[in-house]
Amino acid sequence: AGYTVGKLIDAYIADTKPHDKREAVLNHIKRGVGRYNLSKLTAHALNDWASTRLASGIQGVTLAYDLSTLSAVLKYGKFVKKLNIDSLVARDARAALSFRKVETRSTEREREPTDAELSALYAHWDANKRLKLPMTDLCQFALASAMRQAEICRLDIEDVSATNKTVIIRDRKDPVRKIGNHMTVPLLPEAWAIVAKHIGSRTTGKIFQGCNERSVSTSFTRTCAKLGIKDLHFHDLRHRAIRQLFSAGLAIPEVSLLSGHKNWKVLARYVSVKPAEVHAKFARGGK
């Protein structure tokens, strides 16, 4: 009795230690429906909240993600905290979005940074002597490793093997199992050079000191705005990185090891094969 959605969200955050973006989403949900007693949380109440969110101008894909996140919290409450609650109400509210003709699928982005845009960003950061974040190195490492922004910021020196030139990415994003999903990935030459530079003689701590997902994202976004670079996100570096890996001749299993994708269907959205490229490869005899 008296166990609220907000209290459960706090317990979930403390127990699972989500990344910055997910924690921000959880806190936003808490502000919206945190006051509800879990025993009185219904799909109807969530539908009312969904209507309010849509009226405020958010996109259906954002709302669907919010409800999926809340669903994970409720399942945690039922199966981990052993609470007698309906863990499916958020799932049902999300399913109702399709009946309301709310588009819940995001448009696949094909945006990649151009060479000129990258040069402008690097020049701006390198000229700013007061900038504490190693933004140029972070972006170049993202392009060389195909890692996500959050993954880069979390990398530990203790997980680096200088002998094998590898690093362990802990709790890597996964549609089924994130916690405990540790992956050892190779650091290709350009990525290894950046890692070695930042590690120096240190033996413990983060590879990229003082970097967190939120501050890196803010710096990237602000710089793009200042330089007039439109509609470019840090995640778009990953898109370009994956395309470059395929262009270098790596096979699907090799690219998926670096990118962390578990199946070709998901990985394929990052690869836009152009007709001219197919003609050129066929002309070379498939090589």
Side-chain angles (χ1 to χ4, degrees), residues 1-40:
Y3 212 114
T4 64
V5 174
K7 184 177 178 181
L8 182 59
I9 288 175
D10 288 340
Y12 179 85
I13 291 174
D15 211 8
T16 65
K17 297 177 176 56
H19 56 73
D20 290 347
K21 180 180 178 181
R22 189 171 179 85
E23 184 172 350
V25 170
L26 287 162
N27 284 321
H28 190 88
I29 295 171
K30 180 181 172 182
R31 289 191 292 272
V33 296
R35 67 187 184 279
Y36 283 101
N37 189 298
L38 283 166
S39 63
K40 297 180 181 178

Side-chain angles (χ1 to χ4, degrees), residues 62-123:
T62 301
L63 181 56
Y65 180 77
D66 289 353
L67 289 168
S68 293
T69 301
L70 179 57
S71 180
V73 172
L74 294 175
K75 289 178 182 177
Y76 163 83
K78 184 178 182 67
F79 299 110
V80 177
K81 305 297 283 186
K82 307 298 182 183
L83 299 174
N84 184 22
I85 59 175
D86 183 354
S87 63
L88 302 180
V89 289
R91 186 202 66 176
D92 292 344
R94 188 188 188 288
L97 296 177
S98 61
F99 293 104
R100 300 170 66 178
K101 307 300 183 184
V102 176
E103 181 54 62
T104 58
R105 293 186 178 183
S106 59
T107 303
E108 293 184 358
R109 287 178 63 83
E110 295 187 356
R111 180 73 160 96
E112 293 181 12
T114 65
D115 290 342
E117 287 172 338
L118 290 172
S119 295
L121 288 168
Y122 298 159

Side-chain angles (χ1 to χ4, degrees), residues 71-259:
S71 180
V73 172
L74 294 175
K75 289 178 182 177
Y76 163 83
K78 184 178 182 67
F79 299 110
V80 177
K81 305 297 283 186
K82 307 298 182 183
L83 299 174
N84 184 22
I85 59 175
D86 183 354
S87 63
L88 302 180
V89 289
R91 186 202 66 176
D92 292 344
R94 188 188 188 288
L97 296 177
S98 61
F99 293 104
R100 300 170 66 178
K101 307 300 183 184
V102 176
E103 181 54 62
T104 58
R105 293 186 178 183
S106 59
T107 303
E108 293 184 358
R109 287 178 63 83
E110 295 187 356
R111 180 73 160 96
E112 293 181 12
T114 65
D115 290 342
E117 287 172 338
L118 290 172
S119 295
L121 288 168
Y122 298 159
H124 178 85
W125 289 323
D126 293 345
N128 185 355
K129 302 304 180 185
R130 294 181 299 174
L131 182 65
K132 296 181 179 179
L133 296 172
M135 290 300 297
T136 295
D137 282 354
L138 289 168
C139 287
Q140 290 179 343
F141 182 77
L143 289 168
S145 68
M147 290 185 199
R148 299 175 179 87
Q149 181 176 299
E151 294 169 349
I152 294 171
C153 294
R154 293 199 311 266
L155 294 175
D156 291 318
I157 294 173
E158 296 92 325
D159 289 330
V160 174
S161 169
T163 302
N164 299 319
K165 291 186 172 53
T166 61
V167 66
I168 300 172
I169 302 176
R170 297 193 177 276
D171 298 327
R172 198 166 203 189
K173 183 177 179 182
D174 184 87
V176 178
R177 180 177 68 94
K178 174 179 178 289
I179 303 301
N181 182 40
H182 309 321
M183 292 185 67
T184 300
V185 301
L187 292 168
L188 300 180
E190 289 183 20
W192 174 252
I194 296 170
V195 165
K197 168 186 171 183
H198 280 267
I199 290 178
S201 60
R202 292 185 298 131
T203 57
T204 62
K206 299 298 179 187
I207 293 177
F208 298 102
Q209 297 181 86
C211 298
N212 64 66
E213 185 179 3
R214 191 172 301 171
S215 60
V216 171
S217 179
T218 298
S219 180
F220 188 90
T221 301
R222 286 177 177 172
T223 306
C224 285
K226 184 175 291 187
L227 298 178
I229 299 174
K230 300 184 182 302
D231 189 35
L232 184 65
H233 306 156
F234 192 98
H235 192 77
D236 296 328
L237 300 174
R238 177 168 156 87
H239 191 159
R240 172 166 168 153
I242 293 172
R243 272 187 55 80
Q244 289 176 165
L245 291 172
F246 278 113
S247 297
L250 268 64
I252 292 171
E254 296 163 339
V255 175
S256 65
L257 173 63
L258 287 157
S259 70

